[in-house]
């Protein structure tokens, strides 16, 4: 692109573990994409977060061949993990605006991007279960229902860190006699290549083992549960119930239980949970909202941010379809159709 030319949308998906930055033109064509580490303000602080985002945006602009002078785009659509309260969104929107990336800026929670990626219009309910868990809902009249999603202090339970932590908790208690025996114990020993669970506990305590590895125990727990272990199965049952509660509370609060409505599921935990769990979530959601289309999203979160950005500049349905085709998976992921 030549001097003075800019992209239509700068889209940012700021997750806990990774950040995706994409520039899109008016036709819905992806001009550049940059992936970097997680830069959530909650995890690394506001100013280091802004520096990290700014660095990735400049890298994307250079890849797109945009002029080095800002603004790079007409609109920035940034959807971030950790932007959980309206006050946080307002602060981040103001700070992002100061960086001069675009003529206008919107910052929101990343669950809104998930919802948009799994719907044609951004109306419905989305539940994300990745490192953490969250849910948002948007009614056709614009009403929004959301949860604070601040962890235990705001009533949350779930997410990969929680589930992996529960797997370790049960294994430790099985080893020392405080809890029932469970196949989680030998599975975790094998996972870490140790003979005693105390080695894992001590490694985490002294930070010789990164706390991030606890998240890795989540798929292990799903596998042990599928093999018939009652302790692991109870954790999976609790997660199913939590996801269904989040979705159905939002559906009720927005008066959507009798409507044909999308319930979008996303996040690494749900993406790797398997058909049995997704089928059960669908069945229980249908008990409350029988017309709901419950499905696992098949686009990356940054695509949802980009779609929200295109909405903001009034892009056509043809532009949206072009962007979606760019991200279309080679093999469609499982879509659970209401029926």
């Amino acid at each position: 692109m030549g001097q003075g030319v800019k992209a239509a949308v700068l889209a940012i998906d700021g997750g806990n573990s990774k950040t995706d930055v994409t520039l899109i033109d008016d036709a819905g064509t992806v001009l550049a994409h940059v992936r970097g580490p997680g830069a959530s303000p909650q995890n690394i602080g506001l100013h280091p977060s802004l520096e990290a985002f700014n660095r990735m945006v400049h890298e994307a602009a250079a890849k797109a061949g945009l002029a080095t002078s800002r603004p790079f785009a007409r609109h920035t659509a940034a959807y971030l993990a950790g932007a959980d309260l309206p006050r946080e969104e307002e602060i981040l929107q103001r700070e992002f605006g100061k960086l001069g990336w675009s003529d206008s800026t919107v910052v929101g929670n990343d669950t809104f991007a998930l919802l948009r990626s799994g719907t044609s219009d951004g109306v419905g309910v989305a539940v994300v279960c990745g490192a953490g868990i969250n849910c948002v809902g948007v009614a056709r009249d614009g009403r929004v229902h959301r949860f604070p999603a601040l962890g235990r202090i705001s009533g949350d339970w779930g997410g990969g860190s929680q589930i992996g932590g529960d797997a370790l908790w049960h294994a430790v208690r099985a080893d020392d006699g405080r809890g029932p025996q469970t196949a989680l114990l030998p599975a975790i020993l094998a996972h870490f290549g140790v003979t005693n669970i105390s080695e894992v506990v001590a490694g985490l305590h002294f930070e010789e083992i990164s706390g991030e590895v606890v998240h890795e125990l989540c798929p292990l727990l799903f596998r042990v549960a599928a093999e018939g272990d009652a302790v692991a199965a109870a954790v999976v049952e609790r997660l199913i119930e939590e996801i269904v509660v989040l979705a159905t509370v939002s559906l009720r609060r927005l008066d959507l239980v009798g409507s044909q409505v999308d319930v979008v599921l996303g996040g690494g935990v749900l993406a790797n949970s398997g058909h049995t769990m997704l089928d059960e979530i669908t069945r229980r959601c249908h008990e409350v909202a029988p017309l709901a289309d419950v499905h696992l999203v098949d686009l990356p979160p940054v695509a949802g941010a980009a779609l929200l950005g295109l909405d903001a500049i009034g892009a056509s349905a043809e532009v949206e379809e072009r962007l979606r085709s760019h991200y279309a998976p080679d093999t469609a992921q499982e879509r659970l159709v209401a029926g």
Side-chain angles (χ1 to χ4, degrees):
M1 288 190 172
Q3 183 71 26
V5 178
K6 54 190 175 185
V9 172
L10 166 63
I12 301 174
D13 167 52
N16 285 306
S17 60
K18 63 177 175 58
T19 300
D20 285 307
V21 175
T22 300
L23 285 159
I24 302 105
D25 69 11
D26 287 284
T29 301
V30 174
L31 302 173
H33 171 253
V34 169
R35 171 164 289 183
S40 169
Q42 283 188 352
N43 292 340
I44 68 174
L46 177 60
H47 293 296
S49 173
L50 293 171
E51 290 174 1
F53 285 129
N54 197 38
R55 184 170 57 254
M56 286 181 268
V57 168
H58 278 261
E59 183 181 347
K63 288 180 68 173
L66 298 174
T68 55
S69 59
R70 296 167 291 179
F72 303 126
R74 289 162 55 196
H75 180 73
T76 293
Y79 290 85
L80 316 176
D84 295 311
L85 300 176
R87 186 193 306 180
E88 291 169 321
E89 292 174 334
E90 292 167 8
I91 292 170
L92 289 165
Q93 184 161 318
R94 182 175 65 248
E95 294 300 320
F96 276 27
K98 291 178 182 177
L99 296 171
W101 299 332
S102 57
D103 302 327
S104 59
T105 301
V106 169
V107 176
N109 184 268
D110 58 347
T111 315
F112 287 101
L114 170 67
L115 176 62
R116 183 63 181 89
S117 68
T119 61
S120 62
D121 53 9
V123 173
V125 169
V127 180
V128 61
C129 188
I133 193 166
N134 199 2
C135 174
V136 298
V138 178
R140 196 160 298 282
D141 60 8
R143 286 177 297 133
V144 173
H145 181 258
R146 61 192 297 185
F147 298 89
L150 299 175
R152 188 172 180 82
I153 63 170
S154 60
D156 305 331
W157 185 90
S161 299
Q162 175 76 61
I163 298 162
D166 277 13
L168 179 60
W169 187 85
H170 284 295
V172 171
R173 292 174 70 87
D175 181 73
D176 66 21
R178 287 179 290 172
Q181 288 302 303
T182 169
L184 288 168
L185 176 55
I188 290 176
L189 292 176
H191 179 81
F192 285 102
V194 298
T195 57
N196 195 307
I197 198 70
S198 63
E199 295 179 59
V200 178
V201 174
L204 289 166
H205 176 68
F206 290 112
E207 298 183 349
E208 296 163 347
I209 299 175
S210 170
E212 294 180 2
V213 304
V214 173
H215 190 285
E216 298 174 4
L217 300 179
C218 183
L220 178 150
L221 182 137
F222 283 131
R223 174 174 59 79
V224 172
E227 292 169 353
D229 183 79
V231 172
V235 178
V236 173
E237 167 61 26
R238 184 177 180 185
L239 180 60
I240 291 171
E241 184 59 28
E242 189 70 17
I243 291 166
V244 172
V245 165
L246 286 167
T248 55
V249 165
S250 292
L251 289 168
R252 287 190 173 104
R253 294 290 175 89
L254 294 174
D255 304 314
L256 294 173
V257 293
S259 304
Q260 291 184 337
V261 61
D262 287 300
V263 175
V264 182
L265 307 176
V269 172
L270 283 170
N272 296 293
S273 61
H275 297 294
T276 301
M277 180 172 167
L278 295 172
D279 287 345
E280 185 60 18
I281 291 170
T282 301
R283 185 189 70 77
R284 297 188 196 186
C285 283
H286 283 168
E287 290 178 352
V288 175
L291 301 180
D293 177 5
V294 184
H295 58 273
L296 190 65
V297 74
D298 58 2
L299 294 179
V302 73
L307 289 168
L308 286 165
L310 291 172
D311 292 342
I313 65 171
S316 67
E318 289 77 17
V319 172
E320 173 176 339
E321 185 55 37
R322 186 172 293 109
L323 180 72
R324 285 186 178 276
S325 67
H326 174 85
Y327 288 105
D330 293 333
T331 303
Q333 292 185 10
E334 179 69 12
R335 184 172 176 85
L336 305 171
V337 181

